[in-house]
Amino acid sequence: MTLLDSLRRFDAYPKIDKEFSIRTVGGATLTFISGTIIIVLIYSELIAYLTPVVTDELFVDSTRGQKLKINLDFYIPRISCDYVSLDAQDATGEQHLHIEHTIYKRRMDLKGNPIEEAKKEDISAPKPRLEKKEEEVKKCGSCYGAEKNSTHCCETCQDVIDAYREKQWNPNLDDFEQCQNEVLLGKKSLESKAFSEGCQIYGSMQVNRVGGSFHIAPGKSFSISHIHVHDVQPFSSSRFNTSHRINTLSFGEEFGYGQTRPLDFTEETAHEGAIMFQYYIKIVPTEFVPLNGPTLHTNQFSVTKHQKSVSVMTGESGMPGIFVNYELSPLMVRFTEKRNSFSHFATNLCAIIGGIFTVAGIIDSLLFTSIHALKRKIELGKFS
């Protein structure tokens, strides 16, 4: 019994007989309030425990061999699809040839309604020439030195232009009889088609994961001595209105997290002809590591916009169009999903229950003592 008596001294929870305990309405009210608070806090803590926590870290990007996916949707309301082209280049100035892409063009009227179904665009790919059968060839037009062989004929203006592009020569339409005839006969119809429609260019393309650029500009593009040029003839470049709307522009996979799209739904208006719109983009590679499933790769980016007039009167170099230049940051952001530990959850539960009961007990004790002392003074007639 002596040992048991010694152990009783360490009891931190002394008991009081029920006949000595006093139950009050204030204590019951405080118990109900504190119990409600405990239930609400436990529920919120359970939700927080079951919801993964996302942590972020910044480190040097050491990944290699990945492709950069560019997702775009541009709408040019004042240039026909036949007179606008999309080209992509890397940081060295070399054109991206035979890249994987799903870029489409859709003809639109001036009110923004589709005219026909979208057609896939051939990026930087020369258009095939249809060889006519020998019996169908009635005359052989001159190619002005750009013939492939002695039987190669250029009957139309487009045939001459294609032959010059294959030789990487700069065609001058004024020197070609075929072009002179076509311009005289159909310049009005060409002008009507070029400026009476709009064009939507949308889709995605996979390029090398290095800095580069892409642009949407009027005229058919080709290279002459490693120089990228656009043929806007028979029109002057100042005739093209490069006003546009960017419905969306993003880099990498789209999964709704860790992405920034500052250019979505951006509208730019050219108040004069021959306006060059430039977007300088800084891309930050981003990884998202979920609790379950493979790691997802995307990119965040910031952008700086600039525009200038490139008409002859201003003396500025360049050509009208929409030019997007991007470069990749050497740093990478990684977002990682993590679940809180059970020990952390249990500790918070104990803190909630014990803390609220302790605070409620202190408040109840203060209220009971104050009310009891007030009653004693009233009974003794000392309350004034």
Side-chain angles (χ1 to χ4, degrees):
M1 295 299 297
T2 303
L3 180 60
L4 294 177
D5 292 337
S6 300
L7 288 175
R8 290 193 185 98
R9 296 178 183 178
F10 297 99
D11 185 3
Y13 310 100
K15 284 70 177 176
I16 301 176
D17 291 339
K18 291 184 179 181
E19 60 184 20
F20 296 107
S21 61
I22 301 175
R23 300 183 184 276
T24 62
V25 175
T29 304
L30 192 60
T31 301
F32 177 77
I33 294 174
S34 60
T36 303
I37 295 175
I38 289 174
I39 293 173
V40 172
L41 293 181
I42 289 178
Y43 176 76
S44 62
E45 189 65 28
L46 179 63
I47 296 299
Y49 169 69
L50 297 177
T51 303
V53 177
V54 179
T55 60
D56 59 271
E57 56 182 329
L58 186 67
F59 58 94
V60 175
D61 183 12
S62 59
T63 57
R64 294 290 184 271
Q66 296 179 0
K67 289 285 187 177
L68 178 64
K69 183 180 181 182
I70 303 177
N71 311 292
L72 58 94
D73 187 349
F74 284 72
Y75 171 55
I76 301 95
R78 296 293 176 180
I79 306 178
S80 171
C81 286
D82 293 335
Y83 291 88
V84 67
S85 60
L86 169 65
D87 298 283
Q89 297 177 334
D90 60 22
T92 62
E94 293 292 333
Q95 274 192 289
H96 289 297
L97 300 175
H98 309 295
I99 61 176
E100 296 181 8
H101 73 93
T102 55
I103 300 295
Y104 292 87
K105 282 184 180 180
R106 178 185 285 126
R107 294 174 58 199
M108 312 284 283
D109 61 21
L110 295 180
K111 296 182 179 180
N113 301 315
I115 297 177
E116 62 181 14
E117 292 296 325
K119 297 179 180 180
K120 192 170 184 179
E121 169 73 348
D122 293 331
I123 299 180
S124 303
K127 292 186 176 180
R129 187 192 313 277
L130 296 177
E131 296 294 341
K132 295 189 176 181
K133 295 182 179 180
E134 186 175 350
E135 59 269 19
E136 295 178 352
V137 178
K138 298 181 180 180
K139 64 176 182 177
C140 185
S142 174
C143 293
Y144 302 94
E147 299 90 346
K148 291 182 178 180
N149 48 55
S150 59
T151 60
H152 186 192
C153 300
C154 296
E155 297 181 10
T156 65
C157 179
Q158 187 61 46
D159 291 340
V160 181
I161 293 174
D162 291 342
Y164 265 63
R165 286 176 179 171
E166 291 181 9
K167 294 286 187 179
Q168 295 191 354
W169 295 349
N170 186 16
N172 185 0
L173 302 188
D174 295 334
D175 297 337
F176 306 145
E177 181 181 356
Q178 296 92 325
C179 297
Q180 293 172 1
N181 295 334
E182 290 184 10
V183 170
L184 292 175
L185 293 174
K187 186 172 181 180
K188 290 185 178 180
S189 61
L190 288 174
E191 183 173 351
S192 175
K193 184 177 181 181
F195 305 118
S196 63
E197 295 181 2
C199 185
Q200 181 186 12
I201 301 178
Y202 66 95
S204 62
M205 54 184 175
Q206 300 272 357
V207 299
N208 294 328
R209 197 166 175 268
V210 296
S213 65
F214 67 90
H215 59 266
I216 301 173
K220 296 181 180 180
S221 61
F222 57 98
S223 297
I224 299 177
S225 300
H226 303 288
I227 299 176
H228 184 75
V229 296
H230 282 250
D231 180 15
V232 296
Q233 297 187 39
F235 308 110
S236 169
S237 61
S238 60
R239 298 291 306 278
F240 291 94
N241 186 336
T242 54
S243 300
H244 61 277
R245 181 178 73 240
I246 303 177
N247 295 323
T248 185
L249 177 62
S250 62
F251 299 85
E253 297 297 331
E254 302 180 20
F255 49 83
Y257 189 86
Q259 288 182 307
T260 54
R261 298 182 179 179
L263 287 177
D264 282 13
F265 308 109
T266 298
E267 292 193 28
E268 296 291 341
T269 303
H271 299 287
E272 56 180 311
I275 297 297
M276 182 180 187
F277 295 95
Q278 295 173 298
Y279 298 92
Y280 298 95
I281 291 177
K282 189 74 171 182
I283 299 174
V284 180
T286 304
E287 283 186 350
F288 181 68
V289 184
L291 282 174
N292 302 309
T295 301
L296 304 175
H297 299 273
T298 186
N299 298 276
Q300 304 178 80
F301 70 94
S302 61
V303 62
T304 302
K305 298 187 289 185
H306 177 67
Q307 70 179 63
K308 64 178 180 178
S309 175
V310 292
S311 62
V312 178
M313 297 180 62
T314 60
E316 292 283 351
S317 61
M319 64 176 298
I322 307 161
F323 293 79
V324 179
N325 301 277
Y326 57 88
E327 61 178 8
L328 281 84
S329 171
L331 300 178
M332 173 179 282
V333 178
R334 175 181 292 163
F335 295 97
T336 306
E337 274 189 338
K338 295 181 179 179
R339 192 180 299 280
N340 290 323
S341 64
F342 181 78
S343 60
H344 185 268
F345 172 68
T347 301
N348 287 346
L349 288 185
C350 294
I352 290 172
I353 297 173
I356 291 179
F357 265 117
T358 301
V359 173
I362 294 174
I363 295 174
D364 181 66
S365 178
L366 290 175
L367 290 176
F368 179 78
T369 303
S370 300
I371 293 173
H372 184 70
L374 182 63
K375 287 181 178 180
R376 290 288 298 172
K377 287 185 178 183
I378 293 174
E379 292 174 357
L380 296 175
K382 296 182 178 180
F383 182 76
S384 59

